[in-house]
Amino acid sequence: AQKITQTQPGMFVQEKEAVTLDCTYDTSDQSYGLFWYKQPSSGEMIFLIYQGSYDEQNATEGRYSLNFQKARKSANLVISASQLGDSAMYFCARNQAGTALIFGKGTTLSVSS
Amino acid sequence: IAGITQAPTSQILAAGRRMTLRCTQDMRHNAMYWYRQDLGLGLRLIHYSNTAGTTGKGEVPDGYSVSRANTDDFPLTLASAVPSQTSVYFCASSDSGGGPYNEQFFGPGTRLTVL
């Protein structure tokens, strides 16, 4: 099965520092999309950022950027200037065969003051 | 209603009982999905529907059924609940207009416990 791999079960960072959350994926598709979602302790799923496989520039959304390396099949999320409110679970996902998403198992990020 | 609503918020259910989790969206999205979230396993797709009147199986469909009678509603039914179906269930929708971009919007989730 084509999978999403997030190798870091937990990450720790201090406020104002940058952090990179890793994500690698399997695919034989030429056209696909990569997504990152945030899930705070309250449980809701919050969309953060999207990267299309044909996009030449890395996606950025405020403090979030996606380090997309297509040949290595990696789509790492970079959070700059971490804030306490960034403490959450983060999921990487890829779309497949139409519209469904497959998700990685997630990385828990803890930000300390 | 704004976005996706799910009901109930949480439920404790005896094994063997039938249960329907409700999901309604008001964004007129074509595609809808059901995921379950279990600790250490992330979100796994149960069933999906690309348009009203059609459904498909995801990664973990056994023990679950869905229907899509109209655009807005996508109920998930557990015909005879078992303890392994204890999970948090998320409904999601997306505007499947073609191409790889299909941001999914998620409901708040239903926490189900089967005893």
Side-chain angles (χ1 to χ4, degrees), chain A residues 40-102:
Chain A
S41 58
S42 52
E44 71 266 34
M45 294 289 288
I46 302 167
F47 167 73
L48 294 178
I49 195 167
Y50 163 82
Q51 177 85 43
S53 59
Y54 288 119
D55 293 341
E56 294 184 354
Q57 303 266 1
N58 284 340
T60 60
E61 288 287 347
R63 294 185 299 111
Y64 304 109
S65 60
L66 205 152
N67 184 359
F68 179 48
Q69 299 185 46
K70 190 171 181 178
R72 299 178 67 176
K73 295 186 179 177
S74 76
N76 298 338
L77 177 70
V78 180
I79 305 175
S80 63
S82 297
Q83 301 172 354
L84 294 177
D86 293 334
S87 293
M89 177 79 84
Y90 290 81
F91 291 99
C92 179
R94 184 184 67 77
N95 63 341
Q96 63 164 19
T99 61
L101 292 180
I102 52 171

Side-chain angles (χ1 to χ4, degrees), chain A residues 2 25-32 73 94:
Chain A
Q2 299 190 344
Y25 57 92
D26 292 337
T27 185
S28 54
D29 298 334
Q30 294 301 310
S31 178
Y32 53 89
K73 295 186 179 177
R94 184 184 67 77

Side-chain angles (χ1 to χ4, degrees), chain B residues 26-96:
Chain B
D26 66 354
M27 296 175 283
R28 308 302 294 171
H29 285 165
N30 292 328
M32 297 186 74
Y33 316 86
W34 275 104
Y35 295 90
R36 59 177 289 174
Q37 182 179 16
D38 302 291
L39 193 64
L41 296 178
L43 280 79
R44 294 180 293 168
L45 183 68
I46 304 171
H47 284 287
Y48 65 94
S49 169
N50 285 333
T51 189
T54 70
T55 62
K57 294 181 179 180
E59 179 185 355
V60 288
D62 294 343
Y64 306 95
S65 64
V66 292
S67 61
R68 187 88 183 277
N70 57 60
T71 297
D72 299 342
D73 301 299
F74 191 43
L76 176 75
T77 297
L78 289 68
S80 179
V82 295
S84 61
Q85 292 178 310
T86 294
S87 188
V88 178
Y89 291 85
F90 285 99
C91 179
S93 72
S94 69
D95 183 10
S96 58

